[in-house]
């Protein structure tokens, strides 16, 4: 059973499942279902797909993740960012509304699933760490703005398109004369109601003696209330005859499992977008999953999450849907509602399936302006310009990386934004690894501790140069260390010993080892010995295997204090003998 738990986490919680867990999961599922139905419809609209496809993306993927996912409370399904990225990718390969567009959406989900499964099989979950969090925050902020602007056309009741901010603005200005006051009034009303429900409703319900926690959960059902009310208003005022665009006929029934029609030329166009969607979806999902798991002292496996999300996207592809990932707001609601296992997601999937069978005829009269308002209110919470202020104060390099990512995403679209974000993260990583913090250190009087001579009042010796490197030595930064040592020695003829303090060095690669050998040889030519102190065990093992220690001109010291004291004493004796 233990082996099955590693590959199928469902067995980890299913064996201890009981009636109390079922009650908790059932309550959470009811709340999440009421939240997911409008979200599914809205995000299908955002992706340029028929409304029923959003429901399809909320059935099989939820069950697949429940079997293979390691988080017990992550709620998988359609999300705003993945929907926007899907729309951008699909718009390049097929005409919206065509059969080819639907097939391409399923293929996009299929490829996303395959990429995630491959990364999970190769155990490459750690790669997500290479994406800078500030850069991802900048991308999400810009995407939230793009999503909000893309929904203005439905709010105004006009035809408009585009995948970048300039395209969207230009397209809307062209068609602005055709705007519908009824659609705008309806959308603004729903938007104002949703915003009020997030704050005012909770206070009102609390004053009515409803516990604050329950009041907050009830407020999450606001989108469903908005849908019901606007459907009734559409029927009452016959808004279809007043230029208010409706969702229209939605076929009732469950999705049919099938393999998408694979076209090699189409596959080539979708591979890169699928990879980008996979990366962003995984980063978003795993960060949410880890946050929620930590609150209950649970843990999730990064590699297993790749497999769980990969299975969910495969299920989406085979059920004619589009890419899915873990939703932040939905997962938090699921957690706060008391979900204890992924049974809540399975029950949610069953609820969406029932809605697909029995409720779809009533969704004909749902105004698109309502869904647009739901999307806009949801995604505007993603917009966080404070990241610019924070990074400006903390790190200018982070600031410019975030700013460039935001501007590229807004001006050129999400695909360019993702590419820019990945490149910016890699550049930041290389910049930081290529120029590690290196400090000349001295002894703090009365202690055995060594600190930066520029920050502390310390004891030094003119014949000793103590250098501390605060990073592992590798091909990207070894030359920087070499230049620093030579610069410190330039014009200083008193130095007889260079001590490299290795307390922060966790690894030395071959390129760095060759640089150390070159430094050692050059110092010997100048009558200077190179010593190492506080070398960690794994690093020492590597140095022993290479034979470097046999050529080292100096010694290996257990501590920097020991090196300083012994070499200072030796230098003093040598100086006396020379006199």
């Amino acid at each position: 059973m233990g082996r099955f738990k590693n590959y199928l986490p469902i067995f980890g919680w299913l064996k201890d499942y009981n009636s109390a867990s079922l009650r908790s999961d059932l309550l959470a599922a009811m709340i999440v279902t009421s939240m997911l139905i409008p979200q599914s419809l809205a995000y299908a609209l955002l992706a340029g797909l028929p409304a029923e496809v959003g429901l399809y993306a909320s059935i099989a993927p939820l069950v697949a993740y429940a079997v293979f996912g390691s988080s017990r409370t992550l709620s998988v399904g359609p999300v705003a960012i993945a929907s926007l990225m899907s729309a951008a990718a699909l718009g390049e390969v097929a005409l919206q509304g065509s059969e080819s567009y639907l097939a391409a959406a399923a293929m996009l989900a299929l490829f996303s699933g395959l990429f995630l499964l491959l990364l999970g099989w190769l155990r490459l979950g750690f790669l997500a760490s290479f994406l800078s969090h500030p850069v991802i925050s900048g991308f999400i902020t810009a995407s939230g703005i793009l999503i909000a602007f893309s929904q203005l056309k439905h709010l105004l009741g006009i035809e408009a398109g585009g995948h970048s901010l300039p395209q969207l603005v230009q397209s809307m200005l062209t068609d602005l004369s055709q705007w519908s006051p009824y659609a705008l009034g309806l959308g603004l009303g729903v938007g104002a109601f949703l915003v009020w429900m997030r704050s005012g409703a909770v206070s009102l319900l609390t004053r009515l003696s409803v516990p604050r926690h329950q009041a907050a959960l009830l407020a999450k059902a606001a989108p469903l209330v908005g849908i019901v009310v606007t459907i009734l208003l559409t029927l009452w005022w016959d808004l279809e005859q007043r230029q208010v665009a409706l969702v229209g006929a939605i076929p009732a029934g469950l999705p049919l499992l099938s393999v998408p029609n694979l076209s090699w030329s189409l596959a080539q166009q979708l591979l890169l977008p699928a990879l980008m969607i996979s990366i962003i979806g995984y980063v978003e999902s795993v960060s949410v999953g880890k946050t929620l798991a930590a609150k209950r002292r649970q843990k999730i496996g990064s590699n297993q999450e790749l497999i769980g999300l990969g299975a969910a996207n495969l299920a989406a592809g085979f059920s004619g849907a589009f890419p899915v990932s873990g939703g932040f707001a939905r997962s938090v609601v699921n957690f706060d509602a008391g979900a204890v296992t992924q049974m809540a997601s399975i029950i949610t999937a069953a609820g969406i399936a029932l809605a697909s069978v029995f409720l779809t005829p009533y969704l004909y009269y749902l105004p698109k302006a309502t869904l647009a308002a739901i999307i806009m209110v949801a995604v505007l919470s993603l917009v966080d310009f404070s990241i610019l202020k924070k990074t400006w104060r903390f790190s200018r390099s982070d600031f410019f990386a975030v700013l460039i990512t935001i501007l590229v995403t807004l001006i050129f679209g999400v695909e360019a934004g993702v590419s820019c974000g990945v490149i910016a993260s890699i550049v930041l990583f290389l910049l930081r690894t290529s120029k590690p913090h290196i400090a000349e250190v001295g002894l703090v009087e009365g202690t055995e501790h060594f600190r930066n001579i520029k920050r502390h009042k310390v004891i030094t010796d003119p014949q000793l140069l103590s250098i501390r490197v605060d990073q592992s030595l590798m091909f990207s930064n070894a030359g920087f260390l070499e230049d620093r040592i030579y610069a410190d020695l330039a014009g200083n003829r008193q130095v007889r010993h260079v001590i490299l303090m290795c307390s922060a060095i966790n690894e030395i690669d071959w390129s760095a080892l060759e640089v150390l050998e070159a430094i050692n040889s050059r110092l010997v030519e100048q009558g200077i010995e190179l010593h190492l102190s506080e070398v960690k065990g794994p690093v020492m093992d590597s140095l022993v295997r290479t034979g470097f220690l046999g050529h080292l001109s100096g010694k290996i010291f257990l501590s920097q204090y020991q090196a300083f004291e012994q070499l200072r004493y030796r230098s003093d004796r040598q100086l006396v003998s020379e006199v």
Side-chain angles (χ1 to χ4, degrees), residues 133-144:
H133 178 70
V135 168
I136 292 297
S137 297
F139 171 74
I140 291 175
T141 291
S143 297

Side-chain angles (χ1 to χ4, degrees), residues 19-354:
S19 57
S21 299
L22 178 61
R23 286 193 296 271
S24 298
D25 286 339
L26 184 60
L27 175 62
M30 291 173 62
I31 295 172
V32 173
T33 301
S34 68
M35 184 180 183
L36 185 53
I37 289 175
Q39 281 188 349
S40 300
L41 301 172
Y43 293 144
L45 182 73
L46 176 58
L49 294 161
E52 67 271 13
V53 179
L55 296 174
Y56 298 164
S58 305
I59 301 175
L62 274 69
V63 178
Y65 180 83
V67 175
F68 294 97
S70 62
S71 172
R72 297 195 177 190
T73 51
L74 186 70
S75 181
V76 170
V79 296
I81 303 297
S83 300
L84 178 65
M85 295 177 69
S86 298
L90 298 174
E92 297 293 327
V93 300
L95 181 65
Q96 186 173 322
S98 65
E99 289 295 326
S100 299
Y101 195 93
L102 289 171
M107 193 182 299
L108 189 63
L110 190 64
F111 286 154
S112 296
L114 290 174
F115 276 127
L116 289 165
L117 286 177
L118 178 62
L119 292 174
W121 179 64
L122 295 174
R123 306 188 69 78
L124 296 178
F126 68 90
L127 290 177
S129 303
F130 286 93
L131 284 175
S132 163
H133 178 70
V135 168
I136 292 297
S137 297
F139 171 74
I140 291 175
T141 291
S143 297
I145 296 171
L146 281 180
I147 292 170
F149 267 90
S150 72
Q151 296 308 296
L152 279 177
K153 62 181 180 181
H154 298 298
L155 212 63
L156 295 169
I158 61 176
E159 295 292 333
H163 299 298
S164 67
L165 192 58
Q167 291 175 352
L168 288 167
V169 172
Q170 182 180 2
S171 180
M172 280 187 283
L173 289 176
T174 302
D175 297 330
L176 194 57
S177 59
Q178 305 298 321
W179 72 286
S180 167
Y182 294 99
L184 180 60
L186 202 65
L188 290 178
V190 172
F193 170 71
L194 294 177
V195 171
W196 176 78
M197 284 292 287
R198 288 188 170 193
S199 54
V202 176
S203 300
L204 177 62
L205 291 172
T206 303
R207 287 197 296 270
L208 295 175
S209 300
V210 177
R212 190 169 187 82
H213 177 71
Q214 295 181 15
L217 291 176
L218 288 173
K220 301 298 182 182
L224 188 60
V225 175
I227 283 179
V228 173
V229 170
T230 51
I231 287 176
L232 294 175
L233 290 175
T234 301
L235 291 170
W236 183 265
W237 285 328
D238 194 14
L239 294 179
E240 188 175 11
Q241 303 301 319
R242 302 175 186 269
Q243 293 183 294
V244 175
L246 306 180
V247 169
I250 299 178
L254 299 175
L256 298 176
L257 298 180
S258 62
V259 179
N261 292 324
L262 298 177
S263 163
W264 176 242
S265 61
L266 184 60
Q268 288 178 304
Q269 294 175 284
L270 292 178
L271 283 175
L272 184 57
L275 178 60
M276 292 179 175
I277 292 171
S278 303
I279 292 172
I280 297 299
Y282 171 70
V283 171
E284 184 179 2
S285 299
V286 79
S287 61
V288 176
K290 285 182 177 180
T291 300
L292 297 180
K295 291 183 177 181
R296 291 182 180 170
R297 297 189 179 183
Q298 299 170 348
K299 67 176 183 177
I300 67 172
S302 298
N303 295 312
Q304 189 61 40
E305 280 302 284
L306 285 167
I307 294 173
L309 290 171
N313 277 281
L314 281 183
F318 288 130
S319 57
F322 59 106
V324 298
S325 66
F328 177 77
R330 198 163 57 240
S331 298
V332 171
V333 170
N334 192 42
F335 181 91
D336 289 342
V340 292
T341 71
Q342 280 295 327
M343 183 61 73
S345 292
I346 295 175
I347 298 171
T348 297
I352 300 294
L354 291 174

Side-chain angles (χ1 to χ4, degrees), residues 96 122 200 242 313 387 460 488 534 574:
Q96 186 173 322
L122 295 174
R242 302 175 186 269
N313 277 281
I387 191 68
T460 60
D488 287 347
E534 302 187 12
Q574 182 179 357

